[in-house]
Amino acid sequence: MTPVRKLVLLGTGLIGGSFALALKRVRLVQHVVGVGRNPDNLARAIELNVIDVATADAAEAVVDADLVLLATPVGQMGALMQRIAPHLAPGCLVTDGGSTKQDVCALFRENLPEHLAWCVPGHPIAGSDLSGAAAAQYGLFEGRRVVLTPLAETDPASTARIEALWQQCGAVVHTMQAAQHDGVFAAVSHMPHLLAFAYMNTVLARADADTCLEFAASGFRDFTRIAGSHPDMWRDIALANRSALLQDLKSCAAQLQQVIALVEAEDRDGMTDYFAQASKARVAWGNRKR
Amino acid sequence: MTPVRKLVLLGTGLIGGSFALALKRVRLVQHVVGVGRNPDNLARAIELNVIDVATADAAEAVVDADLVLLATPVGQMGALMQRIAPHLAPGCLVTDGGSTKQDVCALFRENLPEHLAWCVPGHPIAGSDLSGAAAAQYGLFEGRRVVLTPLAETDPASTARIEALWQQCGAVVHTMQAAQHDGVFAAVSHMPHLLAFAYMNTVLARADADTCLEFAASGFRDFTRIAGSHPDMWRDIALANRSALLQDLKSCAAQLQQVIALVEAEDRDGMTDYFAQASKARVAWGNRKR
């Protein structure tokens, strides 16, 4: 497999840094340029050998690159694409690590219309509470899933190359439509985050909230772990995947009304059936993952 | 401290068995009788030295006892109290491990009206996915909380004795009103279980549920862990703590509508504030627990 000659990370944090490290380990990248706005973070990235060179100038960085990874929050990607567009060599692959895909696909179309054959939108499923270049690690993508959502205009050879690189990082790669991706992740990631925020605020609204939190135990701890997530990041994700997310939140609100009705009616059989359906599916899921 | 002469476990499972083991370790119990309906489980409890003697007859078992722990599901406690009432010696302490307290207090009043001075309703906060005598362990209550909700009729000396015994098991003991207890646990335990069931069923109702579950990752895993709980047990808890729980579920439904309205309106500042309130509280809680 041909190594990447010059990889440019637009955003030198956990995802970008771990991608660079993983490719370095298997000798599939020769030169890594890190772009970022935080000089301390970039200095740390060089020190840790995550990147070879640092710059704040995305346009200058992508000259001669054969692979560009957009690994910033999705909100910054449009401006970065616009900035690099005039400087990208034909054939330079551009991919991203954003956790919503329909909006990123639209950004590619809007900002790199001449370059779409080499654009491969992607989403590595490898979150962490940590961030920054210092959190980058070789094995982050080992056994993790990466979803690619190529555009109609994407050259299949571009997709195949990005897929192969992720596989070399240890990831299991799936390809699907951007809309399907966003529906799935609204359901299993975005909706539960917003539910966890809503639940947490329900407890906080109680007059005895402090006492409640004092007696909260392991069930609470796990259920609310994602409620500790970064507010701005989740505001952006909620806005980016708004329509799929709203559909799920409304569907969940209806399910919640059903639970309330069952409890209100003291419907023993109805509750048993309802709880058992959820419990059975969750137990099966847990067993499948092991 | 005077040891318990004869401890009777009505229900020889995780909670009862671990209580007996913890008292045995500090030599605060001389003789343990296990009562249960499953002969295999009782045989295992003897084999593991959790109990000394086993019987299926609760009435016979409590004769001469100085401490009885009701450690069955709450649904079985009323019948057991009725059964033992004529056989309890005056002064024999009776406590329980039920996770709802207003209903258990009512059962004490109804079934042991002559014995209330020696009845101390309690709730050890030490859940586990495991059950049965084989799951019993010495250290289960180490550093865990136990809430006691004495009746107006309970002799303070009875409460003090039960408190001291739990403390010898390593537990941190709190005393509060049964209604306060039920409100707190509706908020931090019962409500999240029902929300987790509702969320799980929301995902299952999607046409692409299988694909969703395939891509579900660590956030989903933690958020839904309690959705794998036992349906019958949670139906009983929901019914036992119905009015406090309904209040919380309705309050959460209102919070969820607020989230939907914020996302629908693309209210960036509103979302940031809403998410930040939850996130800040959750992070503070996590730090406090360490």
Side-chain angles (χ1 to χ4, degrees):
Chain A
M1 200 173 155
T2 324
V4 176
R5 216 175 356 85
K6 178 178 173 183
L7 166 64
V8 177
L9 305 178
L10 300 182
T12 306
L14 174 73
I15 296 292
S18 298
F19 182 68
L21 284 176
L23 289 182
K24 283 187 174 197
R25 179 163 60 172
V26 292
R27 299 184 187 284
L28 279 177
V29 64
Q30 288 165 3
H31 188 64
V32 181
V33 180
V35 179
R37 300 188 294 197
N38 178 344
D40 291 343
N41 183 58
L42 290 174
R44 192 93 183 91
I46 290 179
E47 206 178 290
L48 293 168
N49 217 17
V50 170
I51 59 175
D52 303 307
V53 172
T55 171
D57 186 347
E60 175 207 34
V62 301
V63 172
D64 292 329
D66 51 347
L67 178 58
V68 174
L69 171 65
L70 289 141
T72 61
V74 172
Q76 300 170 26
M77 289 185 187
L80 280 166
M81 289 179 190
Q82 212 176 344
R83 181 105 180 80
I84 63 174
H87 307 279
L88 283 175
C92 172
L93 295 176
V94 183
T95 186
D96 78 294
S99 58
T100 47
K101 295 273 62 78
Q102 288 173 107
D103 59 333
V104 174
C105 287
L107 291 174
F108 274 119
R109 284 223 161 73
E110 193 185 324
N111 296 292
L112 299 173
E114 307 298 322
H115 203 81
L116 297 181
W118 304 292
C119 291
V120 186
H123 176 201
I125 322 298
S128 168
D129 298 342
L130 306 168
S131 60
Q137 47 180 293
Y138 285 102
L140 185 66
F141 304 112
E142 204 66 54
R144 308 299 282 269
R145 291 164 193 272
V146 172
V147 179
L148 301 181
T149 62
L151 303 158
E153 297 86 346
T154 305
D155 184 339
S158 304
T159 308
R161 170 78 168 155
I162 296 296
E163 178 170 357
L165 289 170
W166 277 118
Q167 284 169 340
Q168 291 297 319
C169 297
V172 180
V173 182
H174 298 260
T175 298
M176 59 173 79
Q177 295 293 313
Q180 190 189 358
H181 169 280
D182 288 357
V184 165
F185 287 89
V188 300
S189 171
H190 311 164
M191 167 171 53
H193 276 81
L194 269 63
L195 289 176
F197 290 142
Y199 165 71
M200 196 71 201
N201 284 343
T202 305
V203 175
L204 294 175
R206 289 179 58 107
D208 62 350
D210 288 345
T211 309
C212 287
L213 292 176
E214 195 186 331
F215 286 94
S218 61
F220 176 92
R221 182 196 60 216
D222 289 355
F223 187 71
T224 60
R225 187 177 62 79
I226 53 178
S229 301
H230 201 293
D232 293 349
M233 179 179 148
W234 284 93
R235 175 202 60 208
D236 289 347
I237 290 173
L239 291 171
N241 202 14
R242 184 167 161 275
S243 90
L245 179 59
L246 278 173
Q247 220 173 312
D248 275 333
L249 289 174
K250 286 175 185 176
S251 159
C252 189
Q255 294 280 349
L256 181 51
Q257 288 308 328
Q258 194 179 335
V259 171
I260 290 171
L262 288 168
V263 177
E264 211 142 42
E266 303 181 54
D267 180 347
R268 295 178 63 88
D269 292 347
M271 288 168 75
T272 304
D273 291 349
Y274 190 90
F275 297 172
Q277 175 184 302
S279 173
K280 201 179 140 195
R282 178 55 178 79
V283 169
W285 182 85
N287 290 337
R288 180 166 64 176
K289 297 304 262 190
R290 255 172 235 128
Chain B
M1 201 173 155
T2 322
V4 176
R5 215 176 357 86
K6 177 178 173 184
L7 165 65
V8 177
L9 305 177
L10 300 181
T12 306
L14 174 73
I15 296 292
S18 298
F19 182 68
L21 283 176
L23 289 183
K24 283 187 173 195
R25 180 163 59 173
V26 291
R27 300 184 186 281
L28 279 176
V29 65
Q30 288 164 3
H31 188 64
V32 181
V33 181
V35 179
R37 301 189 293 196
N38 178 344
D40 290 345
N41 182 59
L42 290 173
R44 191 93 183 92
I46 291 179
E47 206 178 292
L48 292 168
N49 216 17
V50 170
I51 60 175
D52 304 308
V53 172
T55 171
D57 186 348
E60 174 207 37
V62 301
V63 172
D64 293 328
D66 51 346
L67 177 58
V68 174
L69 171 64
L70 289 142
T72 60
V74 172
Q76 301 170 25
M77 288 183 186
L80 280 165
M81 290 180 190
Q82 212 175 343
R83 180 105 181 78
I84 64 174
H87 308 278
L88 283 174
C92 172
L93 295 176
V94 183
T95 187
D96 77 295
S99 57
T100 47
K101 294 270 66 74
Q102 288 173 106
D103 60 333
V104 173
C105 288
L107 291 174
F108 274 118
R109 285 222 161 72
E110 194 185 324
N111 296 293
L112 300 174
E114 308 299 321
H115 203 82
L116 296 180
W118 304 292
C119 290
V120 187
H123 176 200
I125 322 298
S128 167
D129 297 343
L130 305 170
S131 61
Q137 46 181 293
Y138 285 103
L140 185 67
F141 304 111
E142 203 65 57
R144 308 299 282 270
R145 290 166 193 271
V146 171
V147 179
L148 301 181
T149 62
L151 303 158
E153 296 85 346
T154 305
D155 184 339
S158 304
T159 307
R161 170 78 167 154
I162 297 295
E163 177 170 357
L165 289 171
W166 277 118
Q167 284 169 341
Q168 291 297 319
C169 297
V172 180
V173 182
H174 299 260
T175 298
M176 59 173 80
Q177 295 294 313
Q180 190 189 359
H181 168 281
D182 288 358
V184 165
F185 287 90
V188 299
S189 171
H190 311 164
M191 166 170 54
H193 276 80
L194 269 63
L195 290 176
F197 290 142
Y199 165 70
M200 196 70 202
N201 284 343
T202 305
V203 175
L204 294 175
R206 290 179 58 108
D208 63 350
D210 287 345
T211 309
C212 288
L213 293 176
E214 194 185 331
F215 286 93
S218 61
F220 175 93
R221 181 196 61 216
D222 289 355
F223 187 70
T224 59
R225 187 176 64 76
I226 53 178
S229 301
H230 200 293
D232 292 350
M233 179 180 149
W234 284 93
R235 175 204 60 207
D236 289 347
I237 289 174
L239 290 171
N241 201 15
R242 184 167 160 273
S243 91
L245 180 58
L246 278 172
Q247 220 173 315
D248 275 334
L249 289 174
K250 287 175 185 177
S251 158
C252 189
Q255 294 280 349
L256 182 50
Q257 289 308 330
Q258 195 179 336
V259 171
I260 290 171
L262 289 168
V263 178
E264 211 142 41
E266 303 182 52
D267 180 347
R268 294 178 63 87
D269 293 347
M271 288 168 76
T272 304
D273 290 349
Y274 190 90
F275 297 172
Q277 176 183 302
S279 173
K280 201 179 142 196
R282 178 54 177 81
V283 169
W285 183 85
N287 290 336
R288 181 166 63 175
K289 296 305 260 192
R290 255 173 234 127

